[in-house]
């Protein structure tokens, strides 16, 4: 019935303040409040710590954003984080060099992404179910190959990477920033980026416009798996061990970051900038809460409420 | 004297920033069909929503059978005996017909649902209205036309005295429309008041007793249908004379650009042959389900076909995907803009370029300046009304949305344009603009295949008309043959379409 609404002037006013602005204001407000509340918050150490904490989840969230914009969902990202970390650790402990280990782990993880794509596109399995399945399988595989034991004894060079800095910026954060820039460019300037949005908005119309849906769906889940694989390597380096349970629950954080950042689970909407801010908001809440000595359970309640409030505000704005 | 069922007085509705309705008077009497007409945005839906309790009017009074009422929600409207059949079916698809009838108030017997009663009562209402549907069937297994009938029956079952029909024929085929009209007439004869909204002017004259025209949220006039004519109505709606909507320039056809020989998809269509030349419109008329859409989807590459030969621009092709179809020079403007034609949540800019990003990108990287230029160019060329190409297409009117689809295919350098039911849900003013666009396309030497189940349109525009019935090609007739003494021989076409030779 919305054809009667035609173009209403309200719509234009909203345009002037994009969704990202609102959450950016929230983030800035949080920064201001926390700086006042704790003199430890706005220190170089804490900021660099915050960046490190956010970066791993942040990279996963970037991949998730691609999937969510395309109106899919990827529950297997957490398991892939664990898988890629474990595989790289095992190879390194087994005597492989750092580079080949990482490369093999990332490639193998990408294979899982393509499998997700095949299930979703060719098998017509709903993304939620397809990736729930692969998530469970991958978790099972991890337990099987590690016997549920931690993998330790990785080369120092690998472990030191996570604590190293370039120009004072943590290396982990740099990887995140690079991922952000690449993702931004892809979504803004490439045909693939346009297709991701268009498939999310209307897959059939996109198909009838001559877009190869199959390749694009594979690509989308591949991007997600690739991001998770990179995050898995980052995590392994940071922890200094391969953890069988590594990445547990990351899928939920990634979904939350995207959604707080304005992505719509019904597809066609979302942005990398939004997701980055979303991830920062959640991590800042945790970081600030810790500094202020807030009970961590209460913090989780706050984060949960934040996700709901963000979506409620978004819905209210669209009315 | 006349039994006025509903009277709306000086209704105004102000949305923030927009005055959607201003001092509109409207009433419905028992035993009449009162048509409500106007362009998109004229305020028809807002008026109906005010009556049905969806929007509360900002000012004005509503009387139901003489009693002043405040209708705050749809439940209340239902209790007052007001019902509406909207364009989109509003039944629960996975429940049975009978369950839908009793939704929310299932009768119980000893604490359990009384299925016997539900089915028998539903059956009774359906029989009364002469609707042949099994009450135990699930809604999603019924064709659209029957779903609509069930919706109407449900409203009758709820004892509605005033029933609103909002573009009920938009999705129906000709013979289904007749069944619907019979039903509406029956309801009228039973003393119901009918409010009938449609963009199809011809229907008003077939069905209406009175007609009210709205324009820009204000009442233009309420007149007896018998005292007016088509041109007057159009003038009232558009505010100017549009003349004969369908009079477009016809051109001398050029070379053949699309040739189809013996195209067959078993069980769907058989042995279809046609050709389309530059500068002409080939009309394809057939009832819904006759296979006309499927034939052209086969040519385009959206659906497969079994055998036959397709030649585009002199080259033999077998398009197996839309991509191949586009590359060969064919454009398909599908029947449902919202589900097949456009990515509604995205901008005009993206939708315009969607089918041809390969032309403005290198190694997958888009030349964003060209992207913008093209969208701006076509926005101006075909006059898409919008403040900006960044506007989401869902915020555009139906006519403007259709223009965006056309822009998309102009961008893709298509030579053959297949328009499938392209004016459904498009108001008169915008229709005329779309027909002008046809003219422009033809002038540029493009060829058009126009699929339509709306006879006045397809006969009014086509240079040649192909009639399809049950997947078979009945005839292809030249304009000179169906234009007899300046009048359209509709009867002949209809007879062909229903399989009578």
């Amino acid at each position: 019935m919305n054809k009667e609404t035609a173009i209403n002037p309200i719509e234009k006013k909203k345009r002037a303040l994009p969704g990202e602005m609102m959450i950016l204001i929230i983030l800035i407000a949080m920064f201001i409040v926390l700086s006042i509340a704790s003199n430890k918050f706005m220190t170089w150490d804490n900021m660099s710590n915050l960046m490190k904490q956010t970066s791993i989840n942040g990279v996963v969230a970037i991949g998730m954003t691609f999937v969510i914009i395309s109106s899919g969902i990827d529950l297997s990202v957490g398991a892939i984080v664990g898988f890629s970390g474990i595989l790289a650790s095992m190879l390194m402990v087994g005597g492989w060099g750092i580079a080949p280990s990482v490369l093999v782990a990332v490639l193998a993880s990408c294979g899982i992404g393509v499998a997700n794509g095949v299930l979703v596109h060719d098998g017509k399995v709903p993304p939620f179910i397809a990736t729930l399945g692969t998530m469970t399988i991958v978790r099972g595989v991890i337990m099987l190959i590690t016997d549920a034991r931690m993998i330790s004894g990785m080369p120092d060079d690998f472990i030191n990477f996570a604590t190293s800095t370039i120009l004072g910026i943590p290396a982990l954060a740099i990887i995140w920033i690079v991922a952000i820039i690449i993702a931004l460019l892809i979504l803004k300037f490439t045909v693939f980026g346009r297709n991701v949005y268009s498939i999310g908005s209307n897959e059939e119309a996109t198909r009838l416009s001559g877009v190869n849906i199959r390749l694009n769906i594979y690509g989308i889940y591949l991007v997600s798996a690739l991001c998770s694989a990179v995050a898995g390597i980052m995590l392994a380096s940071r922890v200094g061990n391969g953890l069988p349970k590594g990445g547990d629950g990351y899928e939920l954080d990634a979904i939350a970051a995207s959604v707080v950042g304005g992505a719509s689970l019904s597809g066609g909407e979302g942005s990398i900038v939004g997701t980055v801010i979303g991830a920062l908001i959640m991590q800042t809440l945790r970081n600030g809460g810790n500094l202020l000595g807030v009970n961590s359970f209460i913090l989780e309640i706050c984060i949960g409420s934040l996700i709901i409030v963000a979506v409620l505000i978004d819905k209210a704005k669209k009315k | 004297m006349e039994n006025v069922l509903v009277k709306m007085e000086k209704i105004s509705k102000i949305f923030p920033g927009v005055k959607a309705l201003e001092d509109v008077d409207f009433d419905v009497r028992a035993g009449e069909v009162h048509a409500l007409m106007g362009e998109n945005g004229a305020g028809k839906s807002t008026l109906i929503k005010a009556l049905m309790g969806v929007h509360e009017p900002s000012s004005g009074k509503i009387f139901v059978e003489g009693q002043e009422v405040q209708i705050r929600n749809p439940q209340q409207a239902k209790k007052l005996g007001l019902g509406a059949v909207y364009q989109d079916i509003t039944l629960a698809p996975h429940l049975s017909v009978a369950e839908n009838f009793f939704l929310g108030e299932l009768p119980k017997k000893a604490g359990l649902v009384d299925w016997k009663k539900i089915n028998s009562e539903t059956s009774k209402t359906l029989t009364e209205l002469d609707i042949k549907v099994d009450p135990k069937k699930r809604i999603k297994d019924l064709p659209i036309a029957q779903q609509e009938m069930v919706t109407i029956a449900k409203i009758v079952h709820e004892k509605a005295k005033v029933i609103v029909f909002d573009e009920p024929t938009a999705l129906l085929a000709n013979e289904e429309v007749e069944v619907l009209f019979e039903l509406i007439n029956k309801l009228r004869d039973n003393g119901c008041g009918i409010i009938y909204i449609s963009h199809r002017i011809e229907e008003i004259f077939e069905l209406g007793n009175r007609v009210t025209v709205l324009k820009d949220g204000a009442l233009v006039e309420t007149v007896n249908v018998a005292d007016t004519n088509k041109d007057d109505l159009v003038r009232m709606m558009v505010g100017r004379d549009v003349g004969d909507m369908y009079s477009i320039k016809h051109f001398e056809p050029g070379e053949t650009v699309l040739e189809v020989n013996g195209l067959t998809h078993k069980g769907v269509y058989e042995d279809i042959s046609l050709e389309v030349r530059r500068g002409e419109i080939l009309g394809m008329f057939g009832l819904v389900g006759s296979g006309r859409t499927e034939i052209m989807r086969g040519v385009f590459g959206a659906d497969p076909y079994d055998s036959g030969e397709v030649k585009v621009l002199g080259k033999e092709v077998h398009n197996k995907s839309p991509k191949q179809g586009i590359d060969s020079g064919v454009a398909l403007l599908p029947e449902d803009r919202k589900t097949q034609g456009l990515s509604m949540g995205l901008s005009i800019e993206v939708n315009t370029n969607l089918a041809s990003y390969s032309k403005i990108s290198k190694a997958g990287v888009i030349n964003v300046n060209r992207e913008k230029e093209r969208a701006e160019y076509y926005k101006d060329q075909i006059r898409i009304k919008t403040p900006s190409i960044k506007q989401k297409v869902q915020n555009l009117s139906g006519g403007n949305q259709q223009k965006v689809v056309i822009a998309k295919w102009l961008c893709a350098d298509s030579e053959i344009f297949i328009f499938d039911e392209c004016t459904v849900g498009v108001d008169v003013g915008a229709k005329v603009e779309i027909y002008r666009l046809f003219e422009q396309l033809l002038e540029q030497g493009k060829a058009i295949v126009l699929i339509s189940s709306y006879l006045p349109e397809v006969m009014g525009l086509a240079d040649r008309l192909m009639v399809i019935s049950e997947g078979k090609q009945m005839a292809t007739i030249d304009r000179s043959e169906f234009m007899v003494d300046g009048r359209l021989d509709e009867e002949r076409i209809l007879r062909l379409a229903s399989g009578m030779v």
Side-chain angles (χ1 to χ4, degrees), chain A residues 99-252:
Chain A
S101 308
V102 168
L103 191 67
V104 167
V106 170
L107 285 179
S109 304
C110 288
I112 302 170
V114 173
N116 281 332
V118 171
L119 287 171
V120 169
H121 180 272
D122 304 79
K124 306 262 171 273
V125 185
F128 188 98
I129 306 296
T131 57
L132 180 67
T134 44
M135 166 180 117
T136 314
I137 293 171
V138 171
R139 284 278 172 219
V141 169
I142 295 173
M143 291 305 165
L144 201 66
I145 58 177
T146 59
D147 229 355
R149 273 197 283 268
M150 199 167 80
I151 310 288
S152 40
M154 281 184 282
D156 287 345
D157 283 350
F158 181 74
I159 297 169
N160 291 338
F161 173 78
T163 48
S164 67
T165 59
I166 299 168
L167 298 173
I169 303 167
L172 292 179
I174 291 196
I175 294 187
W176 183 35
I177 292 165
V178 170
I180 292 169
I181 293 170
I182 295 174
L184 269 175
L185 294 177
I186 290 178
L187 285 183
K188 263 222 152 66
F189 295 110
T190 68
V191 179
F192 175 61
R194 293 289 186 284
N195 291 344
V196 173
Y197 279 99
S198 194
I199 289 172
S201 181
N202 189 340
E203 185 175 322
E204 180 62 6
T206 310
R207 184 179 83 91
L208 290 176
S209 297
V211 173
N212 186 327
I213 304 291
R214 170 182 280 128
L215 284 184
N216 281 287
I217 296 278
Y218 291 1
I220 288 161
Y221 285 91
L222 179 75
V223 166
S224 176
L226 175 65
C227 288
S228 312
V230 170
I233 304 293
M234 292 160 76
L235 181 67
S237 166
R238 181 153 191 237
V239 180
N241 292 304
L243 300 175
K245 281 259 170 209
D248 206 15
Y250 280 25
E251 57 278 353
L252 300 181

Side-chain angles (χ1 to χ4, degrees), chain B residues 85-154:
Chain B
V85 182
Y86 295 108
Q87 248 172 53
D88 312 310
I89 304 294
T90 46
L91 300 169
H94 295 277
L95 300 184
S96 73
V97 172
E99 278 173 281
N100 268 287
F101 267 54
F102 286 88
L103 210 58
E105 44 206 38
L106 292 172
K108 290 187 198 99
K109 206 162 131 187
L112 297 173
V113 175
D114 187 354
W115 289 110
K116 225 177 183 170
K117 187 172 168 203
I118 290 174
N119 287 327
S120 70
E121 280 196 25
T122 305
S123 203
K124 203 175 120 212
T125 309
L126 290 171
T127 322
E128 273 169 19
L129 296 172
D130 230 352
I131 300 171
K132 291 175 194 69
V133 174
D134 179 358
K136 286 181 192 151
K137 263 216 159 137
R138 292 211 285 181
I139 296 296
K140 69 181 183 70
D141 299 328
L142 298 174
I144 293 282
Q146 289 196 356
Q147 292 185 15
E148 201 167 310
M149 295 298 168
V150 170
T151 312
I152 299 167
K154 180 183 172 186

